[in-house]
Amino acid sequence: MAIRVFLVDDQSIIRNGLRALLQLEPDLEIVGDTENGQVAIAQITMLQPDVVLMDLRMPVMDGIAATRAIAQQFPAIKILMLTTFDEEKEIAEALRQGASGYLLKDTPSEALAQAIRAAHQGYAQLSPGILQKMMTAASPPSENPAIPPELAELTPREREVLRWIAAGASNREIAQALFISEGTVKNHVTNLLGRLDLRDRTQAAIFAQSALPFLNQ
């Protein structure tokens, strides 16, 4: 069954371009598009897409406000921010409000299609440039602060897995990077969610990004 995708962007040329590119993917179906968050909420209520590509800055209702409303009403729908802006505060706020990822509009079409598939499966997605920007902004100060108790209880391997989750890596990618099995990675992820009292991988990715100064110690 195809993944149902809805597009939200105030520029019709962007929406048309995305539609043309993504329709080339046999497992993706564009079910609708609109120019602002307010109209998007009404249409998404009727169309019930699997994944929403959401612009950040739009008239009437911006992407963050729309993301918050959609995430509250339809928690099963995955929202990927797709924007030209890479400000750390906006990225963090979008993720806090329920976005499953944050991609730049210059993301290659195949990478965008893959990000949609990954988000549909529940994986957090960040453009490489955004991840590097956030990691730089979160680099530890010269005097390392005390590690929070919940992180201090993690094993070195669990911290490694958490860092890879922050990068939006899948279980397979983590397994390949750490030379362990996917089953072992899955067990580590389950343990991490339980120890940190987190609901899913998206929450784990958001937590890990805020905790990078401690994870890098």
Side-chain angles (χ1 to χ4, degrees):
M1 183 179 295
I3 300 171
R4 294 163 54 82
V5 182
F6 190 88
L7 310 175
V8 188
D9 195 292
D10 62 332
Q11 297 185 53
S12 60
I13 190 171
I14 297 294
R15 299 198 307 274
N16 292 338
L18 288 171
R19 179 184 287 273
L21 289 171
L22 295 177
Q23 281 181 334
L24 298 175
E25 303 292 332
D27 60 334
L28 302 182
E29 177 188 359
I30 309 303
V31 297
D33 66 82
T34 191
E35 71 277 4
N36 68 66
Q38 186 177 80
V39 179
I41 294 170
Q43 293 195 17
I44 286 168
T45 300
M46 295 185 295
L47 295 171
Q48 293 292 304
D50 299 308
V51 178
V52 176
L53 292 186
M54 180 76 72
D55 193 14
L56 181 66
R57 299 179 183 176
M58 298 177 290
V60 184
M61 178 183 284
D62 65 25
I64 291 177
T67 294
R68 178 171 57 249
I70 294 167
Q72 290 174 348
Q73 295 179 50
F74 309 105
I77 295 177
K78 307 301 181 182
I79 304 171
L80 285 175
M81 308 303 293
L82 186 63
T83 177
T84 55
F85 304 100
D86 61 351
E87 295 296 325
E88 294 93 336
K89 289 183 179 179
E90 292 177 327
I91 298 169
E93 184 62 20
L95 295 172
R96 275 195 295 268
Q97 296 302 333
S100 297
Y102 200 108
L103 305 173
L104 296 179
K105 287 183 179 177
D106 60 1
T107 300
S109 59
E110 182 53 43
L112 177 57
Q114 188 56 41
I116 292 171
R117 298 181 186 107
H120 183 239
Q121 294 174 357
Y123 296 113
Q125 298 294 304
L126 288 176
S127 287
I130 288 177
L131 175 63
Q132 183 61 43
K133 190 179 183 72
M134 293 187 72
M135 290 179 69
T136 300
S139 58
S142 56
E143 294 184 4
N144 289 334
I147 297 177
E150 62 270 26
L151 288 179
E153 295 177 0
L154 300 182
T155 67
R157 178 64 86 189
E158 286 171 340
R159 290 191 194 183
E160 283 185 299
V161 171
L162 194 56
R163 279 195 292 267
W164 281 102
I165 290 176
S170 66
N171 285 357
R172 177 176 295 180
E173 291 167 335
I174 296 173
Q176 292 173 344
L178 301 181
F179 301 100
I180 56 179
S181 70
E182 285 189 60
T184 299
V185 174
K186 185 176 181 180
N187 289 337
H188 283 313
V189 172
T190 300
N191 291 338
L192 283 168
L193 295 179
R195 287 194 185 192
L196 299 174
D197 193 25
L198 300 171
R199 184 180 67 243
D200 52 32
R201 289 180 73 105
T202 299
Q203 282 197 349
I206 297 170
F207 174 86
Q209 288 153 14
S210 66
L212 279 175
F214 306 106
L215 292 173
N216 290 330
Q217 288 186 31

PDB file of all heavy atoms in Angstrom, residues 177-193:
ATOM      1  N   ALA A 177      27.267   0.579  12.007  1.00  0.00           N
ATOM      2  CA  ALA A 177      28.277   1.503  12.538  1.00  0.00           C
ATOM      3  C   ALA A 177      28.970   0.931  13.767  1.00  0.00           C
ATOM      4  O   ALA A 177      30.181   1.152  13.970  1.00  0.00           O
ATOM      5  CB  ALA A 177      27.628   2.839  12.878  1.00  0.00           C
ATOM      6  N   LEU A 178      28.228   0.199  14.599  1.00  0.00           N
ATOM      7  CA  LEU A 178      28.775  -0.311  15.858  1.00  0.00           C
ATOM      8  C   LEU A 178      29.189  -1.782  15.781  1.00  0.00           C
ATOM      9  O   LEU A 178      29.639  -2.347  16.784  1.00  0.00           O
ATOM     10  CB  LEU A 178      27.749  -0.115  16.986  1.00  0.00           C
ATOM     11  CG  LEU A 178      27.308   1.325  17.258  1.00  0.00           C
ATOM     12  CD1 LEU A 178      26.321   1.367  18.419  1.00  0.00           C
ATOM     13  CD2 LEU A 178      28.506   2.215  17.558  1.00  0.00           C
ATOM     14  N   PHE A 179      28.985  -2.398  14.610  1.00  0.00           N
ATOM     15  CA  PHE A 179      29.364  -3.789  14.383  1.00  0.00           C
ATOM     16  C   PHE A 179      28.657  -4.738  15.355  1.00  0.00           C
ATOM     17  O   PHE A 179      29.273  -5.624  15.972  1.00  0.00           O
ATOM     18  CB  PHE A 179      30.893  -3.967  14.479  1.00  0.00           C
ATOM     19  CG  PHE A 179      31.660  -3.122  13.504  1.00  0.00           C
ATOM     20  CD1 PHE A 179      32.249  -1.940  13.913  1.00  0.00           C
ATOM     21  CD2 PHE A 179      31.759  -3.475  12.161  1.00  0.00           C
ATOM     22  CE1 PHE A 179      32.943  -1.136  13.026  1.00  0.00           C
ATOM     23  CE2 PHE A 179      32.448  -2.681  11.262  1.00  0.00           C
ATOM     24  CZ  PHE A 179      33.034  -1.505  11.698  1.00  0.00           C
ATOM     25  N   ILE A 180      27.360  -4.513  15.503  1.00  0.00           N
ATOM     26  CA  ILE A 180      26.532  -5.384  16.327  1.00  0.00           C
ATOM     27  C   ILE A 180      25.284  -5.737  15.523  1.00  0.00           C
ATOM     28  O   ILE A 180      25.048  -5.174  14.451  1.00  0.00           O
ATOM     29  CB  ILE A 180      26.134  -4.714  17.674  1.00  0.00           C
ATOM     30  CG1 ILE A 180      25.415  -3.373  17.420  1.00  0.00           C
ATOM     31  CG2 ILE A 180      27.354  -4.511  18.555  1.00  0.00           C
ATOM     32  CD1 ILE A 180      24.971  -2.657  18.691  1.00  0.00           C
ATOM     33  N   SER A 181      24.473  -6.659  16.028  1.00  0.00           N
ATOM     34  CA  SER A 181      23.293  -7.087  15.285  1.00  0.00           C
ATOM     35  C   SER A 181      22.150  -6.087  15.460  1.00  0.00           C
ATOM     36  O   SER A 181      22.109  -5.327  16.438  1.00  0.00           O
ATOM     37  CB  SER A 181      22.838  -8.464  15.769  1.00  0.00           C
ATOM     38  OG  SER A 181      22.297  -8.380  17.084  1.00  0.00           O
ATOM     39  N   GLU A 182      21.208  -6.140  14.506  1.00  0.00           N
ATOM     40  CA  GLU A 182      20.021  -5.279  14.616  1.00  0.00           C
ATOM     41  C   GLU A 182      19.209  -5.626  15.860  1.00  0.00           C
ATOM     42  O   GLU A 182      18.618  -4.755  16.500  1.00  0.00           O
ATOM     43  CB  GLU A 182      19.150  -5.407  13.366  1.00  0.00           C
ATOM     44  CG  GLU A 182      19.702  -4.680  12.148  1.00  0.00           C
ATOM     45  CD  GLU A 182      18.696  -4.653  11.009  1.00  0.00           C
ATOM     46  OE1 GLU A 182      17.593  -4.103  11.204  1.00  0.00           O
ATOM     47  OE2 GLU A 182      19.013  -5.194   9.936  1.00  0.00           O
ATOM     48  N   GLY A 183      19.176  -6.915  16.197  1.00  0.00           N
ATOM     49  CA  GLY A 183      18.456  -7.328  17.391  1.00  0.00           C
ATOM     50  C   GLY A 183      19.040  -6.717  18.657  1.00  0.00           C
ATOM     51  O   GLY A 183      18.305  -6.304  19.563  1.00  0.00           O
ATOM     52  N   THR A 184      20.372  -6.643  18.703  1.00  0.00           N
ATOM     53  CA  THR A 184      21.031  -6.033  19.855  1.00  0.00           C
ATOM     54  C   THR A 184      20.717  -4.548  19.923  1.00  0.00           C
ATOM     55  O   THR A 184      20.457  -3.998  21.001  1.00  0.00           O
ATOM     56  CB  THR A 184      22.559  -6.247  19.774  1.00  0.00           C
ATOM     57  OG1 THR A 184      22.837  -7.645  19.775  1.00  0.00           O
ATOM     58  CG2 THR A 184      23.264  -5.603  20.957  1.00  0.00           C
ATOM     59  N   VAL A 185      20.713  -3.888  18.762  1.00  0.00           N
ATOM     60  CA  VAL A 185      20.360  -2.462  18.728  1.00  0.00           C
ATOM     61  C   VAL A 185      18.937  -2.267  19.230  1.00  0.00           C
ATOM     62  O   VAL A 185      18.662  -1.370  20.034  1.00  0.00           O
ATOM     63  CB  VAL A 185      20.499  -1.892  17.300  1.00  0.00           C
ATOM     64  CG1 VAL A 185      19.980  -0.448  17.245  1.00  0.00           C
ATOM     65  CG2 VAL A 185      21.942  -1.941  16.844  1.00  0.00           C
ATOM     66  N   LYS A 186      18.021  -3.120  18.770  1.00  0.00           N
ATOM     67  CA  LYS A 186      16.619  -3.011  19.185  1.00  0.00           C
ATOM     68  C   LYS A 186      16.490  -3.149  20.696  1.00  0.00           C
ATOM     69  O   LYS A 186      15.726  -2.416  21.344  1.00  0.00           O
ATOM     70  CB  LYS A 186      15.781  -4.075  18.477  1.00  0.00           C
ATOM     71  CG  LYS A 186      14.291  -3.961  18.759  1.00  0.00           C
ATOM     72  CD  LYS A 186      13.496  -4.984  17.948  1.00  0.00           C
ATOM     73  CE  LYS A 186      12.006  -4.844  18.224  1.00  0.00           C
ATOM     74  NZ  LYS A 186      11.217  -5.843  17.428  1.00  0.00           N
ATOM     75  N   ASN A 187      17.253  -4.071  21.272  1.00  0.00           N
ATOM     76  CA  ASN A 187      17.225  -4.247  22.729  1.00  0.00           C
ATOM     77  C   ASN A 187      17.741  -3.002  23.442  1.00  0.00           C
ATOM     78  O   ASN A 187      17.176  -2.573  24.457  1.00  0.00           O
ATOM     79  CB  ASN A 187      18.062  -5.463  23.134  1.00  0.00           C
ATOM     80  CG  ASN A 187      17.420  -6.777  22.735  1.00  0.00           C
ATOM     81  OD1 ASN A 187      16.204  -6.847  22.546  1.00  0.00           O
ATOM     82  ND2 ASN A 187      18.225  -7.818  22.596  1.00  0.00           N
ATOM     83  N   HIS A 188      18.823  -2.414  22.904  1.00  0.00           N
ATOM     84  CA  HIS A 188      19.365  -1.188  23.498  1.00  0.00           C
ATOM     85  C   HIS A 188      18.335  -0.062  23.431  1.00  0.00           C
ATOM     86  O   HIS A 188      18.155   0.687  24.401  1.00  0.00           O
ATOM     87  CB  HIS A 188      20.642  -0.751  22.766  1.00  0.00           C
ATOM     88  CG  HIS A 188      21.850  -1.560  23.126  1.00  0.00           C
ATOM     89  ND1 HIS A 188      22.191  -1.854  24.430  1.00  0.00           N
ATOM     90  CD2 HIS A 188      22.827  -2.116  22.356  1.00  0.00           C
ATOM     91  CE1 HIS A 188      23.314  -2.562  24.450  1.00  0.00           C
ATOM     92  NE2 HIS A 188      23.716  -2.736  23.203  1.00  0.00           N
ATOM     93  N   VAL A 189      17.659   0.071  22.280  1.00  0.00           N
ATOM     94  CA  VAL A 189      16.658   1.138  22.117  1.00  0.00           C
ATOM     95  C   VAL A 189      15.517   0.945  23.111  1.00  0.00           C
ATOM     96  O   VAL A 189      15.066   1.900  23.760  1.00  0.00           O
ATOM     97  CB  VAL A 189      16.123   1.166  20.673  1.00  0.00           C
ATOM     98  CG1 VAL A 189      14.951   2.141  20.555  1.00  0.00           C
ATOM     99  CG2 VAL A 189      17.238   1.554  19.694  1.00  0.00           C
ATOM    100  N   THR A 190      15.051  -0.288  23.241  1.00  0.00           N
ATOM    101  CA  THR A 190      13.974  -0.577  24.197  1.00  0.00           C
ATOM    102  C   THR A 190      14.391  -0.218  25.610  1.00  0.00           C
ATOM    103  O   THR A 190      13.632   0.393  26.377  1.00  0.00           O
ATOM    104  CB  THR A 190      13.581  -2.070  24.125  1.00  0.00           C
ATOM    105  OG1 THR A 190      13.129  -2.374  22.804  1.00  0.00           O
ATOM    106  CG2 THR A 190      12.476  -2.382  25.118  1.00  0.00           C
ATOM    107  N   ASN A 191      15.631  -0.580  25.972  1.00  0.00           N
ATOM    108  CA  ASN A 191      16.143  -0.258  27.307  1.00  0.00           C
ATOM    109  C   ASN A 191      16.242   1.248  27.512  1.00  0.00           C
ATOM    110  O   ASN A 191      15.905   1.773  28.583  1.00  0.00           O
ATOM    111  CB  ASN A 191      17.511  -0.903  27.522  1.00  0.00           C
ATOM    112  CG  ASN A 191      17.427  -2.417  27.620  1.00  0.00           C
ATOM    113  OD1 ASN A 191      16.368  -2.965  27.936  1.00  0.00           O
ATOM    114  ND2 ASN A 191      18.521  -3.096  27.354  1.00  0.00           N
ATOM    115  N   LEU A 192      16.696   1.953  26.476  1.00  0.00           N
ATOM    116  CA  LEU A 192      16.839   3.408  26.567  1.00  0.00           C
ATOM    117  C   LEU A 192      15.485   4.077  26.793  1.00  0.00           C
ATOM    118  O   LEU A 192      15.353   4.964  27.644  1.00  0.00           O
ATOM    119  CB  LEU A 192      17.484   3.952  25.291  1.00  0.00           C
ATOM    120  CG  LEU A 192      18.988   3.752  25.139  1.00  0.00           C
ATOM    121  CD1 LEU A 192      19.413   4.084  23.714  1.00  0.00           C
ATOM    122  CD2 LEU A 192      19.739   4.633  26.125  1.00  0.00           C
ATOM    123  N   LEU A 193      14.489   3.667  26.030  1.00  0.00           N
ATOM    124  CA  LEU A 193      13.166   4.268  26.166  1.00  0.00           C
ATOM    125  C   LEU A 193      12.615   4.048  27.575  1.00  0.00           C
ATOM    126  O   LEU A 193      12.017   4.954  28.169  1.00  0.00           O
ATOM    127  CB  LEU A 193      12.206   3.688  25.126  1.00  0.00           C
ATOM    128  CG  LEU A 193      12.526   3.981  23.654  1.00  0.00           C
ATOM    129  CD1 LEU A 193      11.499   3.318  22.739  1.00  0.00           C
ATOM    130  CD2 LEU A 193      12.575   5.479  23.383  1.00  0.00           C
TER     131      LEU A 193
END
